[in-house]
Each structure stands twice: as structure tokens, then as C-alpha cells.
Amino acid sequence: MNWIAIGSIADIPRRGARCVKTPQGKIAVFRTADDQVFAIDDHCPHKGGPLSQGIVHGAAVTCPLHNWVISLETGKALGADEGAVRTIPVKVEGESLYIALEALASKAA
């Protein structure tokens, strides 16, 4: 896989997110309370709300518009809601964060 550097884990507060703009759209990169890092599309499958502005709890984020809960691990809506967002492989090496370019290109096609 080709990995692209997107910054440092310190750039993202615990239980927060930052956005990365790509040719295929905005990617939200989340950091959990226990320093796990996940990357998903920055739009809720319900009404397109900005997931990067949601509340992170455990390995999930709650959309700020209509309270849909999205798994950061699978991208799937949790509970009775249905839908999913694209997940992007992310890795941490030391303090540096990387996302996989192939995942962006292959899922956009």
C-alpha cells in the first residue's frame, strides 16, 4: 500500500477529529480516548452531516445533526439506523499518521 503522511497524532485531540481534503472528498480522522486512530468519510449516511464535528465515544461518533451513531471501526450506523460510510486504512508510526491512498482511489471508482 502507498501511505500518505497526514500529520501527527498530537494534531488531533483525544475524543476529537481533524479533516483531510482529498480529490475524493473530505476524510475525518478520529482519535479515541485511548489513542486509537480511525479514518472515515466526513459525511453521515443519513443527511450528510459533518461527522468530524460529532462527539466521539468509545470507537463511535455521534453525528451532530440528527444523533446517528457511526462505528469508527466499520463505518456502519449503529442501533436501529441503517447506512454506512467508507472507512480508510490509517496507521500510526511513532507520532506520525498515514492514510492509504489506494483505498481512496479504489473506493471512489
Side-chain angles (χ1 to χ4, degrees), residues 26-41:
K26 283 177 36 176
I27 303 298
V29 183
F30 295 88
R31 180 180 177 188
T32 66
D34 60 355
D35 293 329
Q36 293 183 52
V37 180
F38 299 95
I40 61 174
D41 280 332

Side-chain angles (χ1 to χ4, degrees), residues 1-6 22-24 27 41 86-91 98-109:
M1 258 188 219
N2 285 334
W3 297 91
I4 182 169
I6 57 169
T22 74
Q24 292 80 23
I27 303 298
D41 280 332
R86 174 177 60 165
T87 60
I88 308 301
V90 62
K91 72 175 179 176
Y98 301 86
I99 58 174
L101 285 178
E102 289 91 353
L104 294 173
S106 66
K107 292 183 182 182

Side-chain angles (χ1 to χ4, degrees), residues 17-85:
R18 292 290 183 261
C19 287
V20 176
K21 291 182 181 178
T22 74
Q24 292 80 23
K26 283 177 36 176
I27 303 298
V29 183
F30 295 88
R31 180 180 177 188
T32 66
D34 60 355
D35 293 329
Q36 293 183 52
V37 180
F38 299 95
I40 61 174
D41 280 332
D42 188 32
H43 64 273
C44 181
H46 176 228
K47 298 276 185 176
L51 294 174
S52 61
Q53 295 176 25
I55 297 171
V56 177
H57 44 96
V61 62
T62 298
C63 179
L65 295 186
H66 301 103
N67 295 322
W68 276 40
V69 178
I70 307 298
S71 167
L72 296 174
E73 296 171 315
T74 66
K76 293 181 181 177
L78 301 175
D81 298 321
E82 293 183 11
V85 296

